[in-house]
Structure formats: structure tokens, C-alpha cells
Amino acid sequence: MELTRTADLWWKTAIVYCLDVETFSDGNGDGHGDFRGLAQRVDYLDRLGVTCLWLMPFYPSPDRDDGYDITDFYTVDPRLGTLGDFVEFMRTARDRGIRVIADLVVNHTSDQHPWFQSARTGPDSPYHDWYVWQDKPPPDAEKGIVFPDKETSLWTYDRKARKYYLHRFYKHQPDLNVANPAVRDEIARIMGFWLELGLSGFRVDGVPFLLETGGSDDAELLPDPHDYLADLRAFLGRRCGDAVMLGEVNLPYSETMRFFGDGDGVADELTMCFDFIGMQRMYLALARGDAGPLAEALRERPLPPRDGHWATFVRNHDELTLDKLTDDERQEVFDAFGPDKDMQLYDRGLRRRVPSMMGGDQRRIRQLYSLLYSLPGCPVLFYGEEIGMAEDLSAEGRLAVRTPMQWDSGPNGGFSTADPADLPGPIPDGEFGPSHVNVRDQERDPDSLLAWMRKLIDRYRECPELAWGEYTILDTAEPSVLAHRCDIEGTVVVLHNFADHDVKPELELDVTELEDVVTGERITLADNKKVTVELEPYGCRWLRVV
Ligand code: GLC
């Protein structure tokens, strides 16, 4: 297909790489990662094939939710650098052709934000109505708590205001009142500010919570919150025509679809939604050695609007949530990939990374990433996945998977020259620690996971059919095999074996010859259009129709 189209709707074949500036690379030796350190690593990201960086929150913050608790939306946390450093980094990324998006966390602020401190003084404060207050918590105040290990209610009493305020997340994160037009204007201003500094869009945090206006007195009178999301998207489009909103919406497919909007260019909402359902069904398939649950999810998954797209991932910065599986299914995944209580979180997820969950089995790890790049959607990587970093369970909660990037086998894994006590988190030791898993060694090893990732990313970019094509799940009569084809001005057929033994699935295809995209091997089909493809344990094949 014509590559000019992929340059236009760039997000459809993007490689998104999520990182936290604080844990990526320390440029000034104070123990914190910073924008100077990140800028020095841009060429590494470019060599990997990254086309878009997603920066986790880098704004000033008391850091009680790793930066998702913000006290100023318009600048950089001094620990991470200055606005000047940010601009220098942006310029360097742009020079290498890498776009940048950032977390837009506007469902709430930190309770230390000057707006909230002013709001607490009472109704005379211009900021009072920027938050959601009630004299008494509503009867369902305990429903839908996101962090059940820390919170018991969505409403907390504020002594100064003498009222309860709404917080969907931690109590130190009061929810902003998006029903208030002044708040809406401010959110647009925040977006406009960062777009002006060169961002290509936002990863929008907790979108369903952001749109939720149920806590307001006049909730029924308020306009449809989806109109608001469409307004935001239209604003984004006016300010920067090809900017995107990548939304965190963890809901069943039918409900998630609403967040794409009408897709008619008039009431578009999110450009991309993460495929939380596909991700969870994929882990169930992996646990069972049976491709069925993933095939089923892909068959069920609705098509996004024409210019919209699913974003796929196998790990992110939070707990690996399994909340949309049944209790029994979740238990199967826990048993396979995180049997100890300490590996689990909130009774719904895992705080481990891929290599340790797969028991260090390179075949399984490599297969999982082959799935990530070949399943229809835009792949989103979490830093360190490309080299196979694992977690450190000694860190609290979700921080287990947010340890510093492992650059080399030297002190602090090459992340920083500071005293280890000054680092943002522990450096894991053991088989996945920097002495065994680091960028420097893998860059020199053609058989490393990093080399495999680069190869997959290259092939994914060479096969835009995967992202743009219409996909079909193929029957192979082999339960452990997922076979799918993607068609658009060309066809790519991909097979994955979920079993720990060889399989020889048979495919029926209306073609005469296939070429292995990785090895170049040619396969000619018999006259009956049938072909048997050999797959090793946890093997994968990407085949292009010649
Ligand atoms: C989102 C983020 C998570 C954060 C929460 C509150 O779910 O992914 O890391 O804690 O929002 O902002």
C-alpha cells in the first residue's frame, strides 16, 4: 500500500514508547532522571524504531501517585529539569522524526494544587466550584473505589471547607468539576500550552472518570459528557490538525466504542483507545496454551471509526489488570504468571513484567512481542520491555514495574552516577538485573531480545497491511494456533503457536505463494490452495502473499 497514507494517519503505524522521565536517564547525577538525560537517549530510541514517545506526567507534584498528582499543569517538575530542557529535548526528538505525546491528567489535581487550597476556603473562592462538593457523601460513596488497598470511600471530609469532596482515585487527588465551564476552558488552555511547545497529542488519563459528572447536584441537567469529549477533540484538531488523543478506557468493547465518538469528523472523540479486553484475553490464552480466548476477543472487537485505531499493549505502567476476566479465568492467569500474593495487586492484577511472568523463557517472551506487533492496532511499549527488564517486588505496589532503566552493567545500571539511596526506586538484582539485562550488552549481541525487537519493529513498519488492513481470524483446526490475515492492497498472514510443542497447522488460502517476512523463505501452495506451516513451540511466522 502507499506509504504516503501511513504518513498522513501516522498513528496507525506508530510505535509508541511510554517512559517516565524520572526513571529513564539521569543527566546531572542527582539521582533523578531528567530531560537532559532523556535527550541524550533519543538516538537509542530512534535506533529501536520508536516513532512516538508517550511521556508519563513530568509536572510538579508531591509525588504521592508517581506524578499523577499534579500541582501545576504549566511547567516541568524542577527535579526533572526546566521548561528550557523540555524544549531542547523536544527539538532533538523532532530532529530524529520522533513525535511526543504526554499524559493529560485532568480528572483531578493534587490536594496541594493552589486551586484546591483556595477552593477549600469556601464558596467565595473563585476555585470552589472547580471541585465537586457535597454536605453529605451519597449512599453509593463506597462504589467503584479504584485503589481499595488505600481508600474506603470516593468522598472525603475537608475540615476547612466543612464539606465532602469527590475523589475517584486517592483522597489526595480531588476530582476537578468538568461540568464547570471555567474548568473546561482551563483544560483546553493546558492542552493548547503543550501543543504550542510541540506535542503531537495526549494520552488521556482515566477518560470515563473524567467524563463522570454523577457527583454534581444538577447531574441530570448537565449536557452529555461525550459532547464535551468531542469538543476537546475538535479543539485539539483546530490547534494541531494531526494531533491525537489516546485514551485510557478500560470498559467492555461495546462501551469503549462510545469513546471513539461518531467518527464522522464532526463529533469525533478519542483517536485511539487501549485494547484492555484483547490484552486480558491474550494472557488467558497464554496461560492455557490455547489461542481460543484471544481469537474470540479479536472476533468480537468492533471496528473503530475509519481514522480511529486500537492501541495494543502487553504491559503498561500500572498493575497488569485482569479485571474484565471472570474470577476463575483471572485465577488461571494468576496461577500461571503470578501465583504469590505479593505478585498480585488490588485482587485484580499483577505487578510483574513479561520476562519474569514467562519464567525467563525467551521463546515465550519473543512470541508475545511478535503478537504485539502483528495484531491489528498500534503497539505501545513500556520502557525496558525491549531488553526484557523485570520487576522489583521490594518496591511498593505498582512501583515494582517502574524501576530505573537498565543501560549497562555498571553501578546503578548506568541510570545515574548518584548514591543508590538517592534513586527514585530500587535497581533489581538477580537474573533480570542490570548485570544480566542491559542495553549496552544487547546492542552488541545480534541474538538479543533488543535485536529481536528491532527486527519486529522493522517488519511491522514494512507491513502496513497489519495496521491498515481488514483482518480475519483463520481456521486451522489447531487450538493452540492463532492465525490471522490482514488485507489491504496486499495481504499478510500471521501465525502464532501458543503450545510448548511443534504444530503443523493447515491453512487454506486463495493465493499461490507466500514469503516469510523474517527469513525470506518462499512457500508455494499446492493446487488445492492448501498449505501446511510448521511452527516451533511458541513459534511465530509472518507471511506475505507474493
Ligand atoms: C490512571 C493512571 C494511573 C494513575 C491514575 C490516577 O489510571 O494510569 O497510574 O494512578 O490514573 O491518576
Side-chain angles (χ1 to χ4, degrees):
M1 66 176 281
E2 292 209 25
L3 286 183
T4 43
R5 291 170 70 189
T6 65
D8 190 19
L9 269 57
W10 62 268
W11 55 92
K12 287 210 173 191
T13 46
I15 297 283
V16 179
Y17 186 97
C18 167
L19 66 86
D20 185 353
V21 178
E22 192 186 13
T23 53
F24 201 63
S25 190
D26 174 10
N28 65 3
D30 69 353
H32 286 273
D34 46 37
F35 277 104
R36 288 191 177 196
L38 173 57
Q40 289 298 110
R41 305 295 187 177
V42 165
D43 280 330
Y44 163 73
L45 296 165
D46 184 35
R47 281 198 300 280
L48 176 58
V50 170
T51 65
C52 177
L53 285 176
W54 152 21
L55 303 182
M56 286 167 66
F58 52 78
Y59 320 98
S61 162
D63 232 2
R64 295 182 66 193
D65 182 14
D66 205 18
Y68 283 87
D69 46 331
I70 296 167
T71 51
D72 183 352
F73 290 98
Y74 292 103
T75 191
V76 170
D77 188 301
R79 286 168 295 194
L80 311 184
T82 62
L83 265 185
D85 295 334
F86 173 85
V87 170
E88 289 301 295
F89 150 71
M90 289 295 292
R91 200 192 138 68
T92 313
R94 190 174 65 210
D95 177 66
R96 307 312 198 261
I98 298 180
R99 293 172 182 270
V100 183
I101 64 173
D103 247 297
L104 180 70
V105 190
V106 286
N107 170 68
H108 48 262
T109 67
S110 159
D111 60 357
Q112 301 306 308
H113 196 294
W115 299 339
F116 187 67
Q117 289 304 322
S118 167
R120 297 176 63 203
T121 59
D124 289 342
S125 157
Y127 293 104
H128 189 71
D129 289 336
W130 283 40
Y131 295 87
V132 186
W133 303 98
Q134 287 290 348
D135 293 331
K136 271 202 256 147
D140 62 352
E142 280 135 47
K143 242 176 81 184
I145 293 165
V146 180
F147 299 125
D149 60 330
K150 293 273 173 357
E151 303 300 340
T152 50
S153 172
L154 301 185
W155 295 84
T156 291
Y157 186 70
D158 183 75
R159 280 208 206 145
K160 205 162 179 182
R162 296 211 221 130
K163 283 184 193 169
Y164 289 82
Y165 63 90
L166 173 69
H167 54 86
R168 290 272 160 197
F169 295 96
Y170 296 114
K171 63 167 78 63
H172 57 76
Q173 290 169 324
D175 273 27
L176 281 166
N177 174 15
V178 290
N180 180 339
V183 170
R184 294 183 172 202
D185 284 351
E186 190 69 26
I187 291 174
R189 208 169 290 130
I190 294 165
M191 292 169 67
F193 178 83
W194 293 105
L195 290 172
E196 212 62 33
L197 292 186
L199 286 191
S200 293
F202 302 91
R203 178 264 185 185
V204 191
D205 191 55
V207 186
F209 300 112
L210 171 67
L211 295 196
E212 180 62 64
T213 47
S216 310
D217 286 335
D218 46 3
E220 292 91 75
L221 304 175
L222 294 170
D224 184 343
H226 281 277
D227 291 345
Y228 171 50
L229 192 56
D231 280 354
L232 270 189
R233 173 67 186 278
F235 171 81
L236 179 82
R238 287 194 302 278
R239 290 290 172 99
C240 182
D242 65 353
V244 296
M245 292 206 290
L246 162 60
E248 184 195 23
V249 182
N250 178 11
L251 292 173
Y253 282 135
S254 57
E255 291 168 52
T256 302
M257 286 309 287
R258 283 203 68 195
F259 291 80
F260 279 114
D262 290 353
D264 56 3
V266 178
D268 289 353
E269 296 177 28
L270 298 173
T271 325
M272 283 189 281
C273 292
F274 285 105
D275 182 2
F276 278 94
I277 303 296
M279 181 279 287
Q280 302 189 32
R281 311 286 300 171
M282 180 173 70
Y283 276 95
L284 183 62
L286 292 165
R288 289 183 179 170
D290 171 2
L294 178 56
E296 198 180 292
L298 289 167
R299 283 199 181 98
E300 269 169 34
R301 193 173 81 165
L303 284 181
R306 198 195 53 183
D307 293 353
H309 208 36
W310 291 105
T312 49
F313 64 105
V314 300
R315 194 64 187 92
N316 69 7
H317 63 294
D318 284 325
E319 77 282 8
L320 183 86
T321 184
L322 303 165
D323 65 336
K324 298 292 182 290
L325 299 181
T326 66
D327 291 350
D328 289 345
E329 290 169 343
R330 186 178 317 108
Q331 194 56 48
E332 279 181 68
V333 181
F334 280 172
D335 291 345
F337 300 130
D340 299 351
K341 270 275 166 229
D342 190 34
M343 299 167 174
Q344 301 162 10
L345 204 57
Y346 316 130
D347 292 326
R348 62 169 184 251
L350 288 165
R351 52 189 211 110
R352 304 186 83 191
R353 279 180 176 250
V354 167
S356 51
M357 287 195 286
M358 299 299 136
D361 186 336
Q362 280 290 327
R363 299 169 309 171
R364 303 196 80 176
I365 299 167
R366 288 173 194 222
Q367 186 222 30
L368 192 44
Y369 288 103
S370 168
L371 278 166
L372 175 67
Y373 295 111
S374 61
L375 291 180
C378 166
V380 182
L381 271 183
F382 182 48
Y383 77 94
E385 286 196 273
E386 71 276 23
I387 52 169
M389 274 170 57
E391 68 285 347
D392 189 325
L393 294 176
S394 71
E396 207 220 327
R398 292 171 293 162
L399 297 180
V401 300
R402 302 183 190 175
T403 57
M405 181 67 182
Q406 297 172 188
W407 293 104
D408 60 43
S409 57
N412 298 330
F415 160 73
S416 169
T417 53
D419 189 314
D422 295 334
L423 304 186
I427 305 275
D429 52 17
E431 63 174 310
F432 300 109
S435 38
H436 300 283
V437 173
N438 67 69
V439 171
R440 198 184 146 79
D441 290 352
Q442 293 196 20
E443 284 210 303
R444 283 158 183 74
D445 174 3
D447 291 325
S448 64
L449 182 61
L450 180 62
W452 175 244
M453 287 283 191
R454 284 184 182 156
K455 187 183 285 179
L456 288 173
I457 291 175
D458 271 359
R459 300 303 184 265
Y460 158 84
R461 296 282 287 181
E462 271 173 24
C463 299
E465 294 87 353
L466 293 172
W468 279 73
E470 198 178 304
Y471 72 88
T472 319
I473 306 299
L474 305 173
D475 283 326
T476 68
E478 186 62 67
S480 71
V481 173
L482 179 79
H484 71 281
R485 65 181 284 170
C486 301
D487 297 273
I488 182 173
E489 298 165 28
T491 298
V492 179
V493 179
V494 187
L495 294 102
H496 287 92
N497 177 15
F498 284 65
D500 62 356
H501 51 82
D502 292 320
V503 286
K504 290 185 182 167
E506 190 182 59
L507 290 178
E508 198 175 327
L509 293 167
D510 50 352
V511 307
T512 46
E513 197 173 22
L514 295 163
E515 184 183 40
D516 189 309
V517 176
V518 180
T519 63
E521 183 202 338
R522 293 249 175 160
I523 306 173
T524 310
L525 275 79
D527 287 344
N528 61 4
K529 301 291 178 203
K530 288 198 174 153
V531 60
T532 304
V533 185
E534 297 190 15
L535 287 170
E536 296 175 351
Y538 306 115
C540 54
R541 303 285 296 268
W542 296 25
L543 306 168
R544 178 187 281 286
V545 172
V546 180

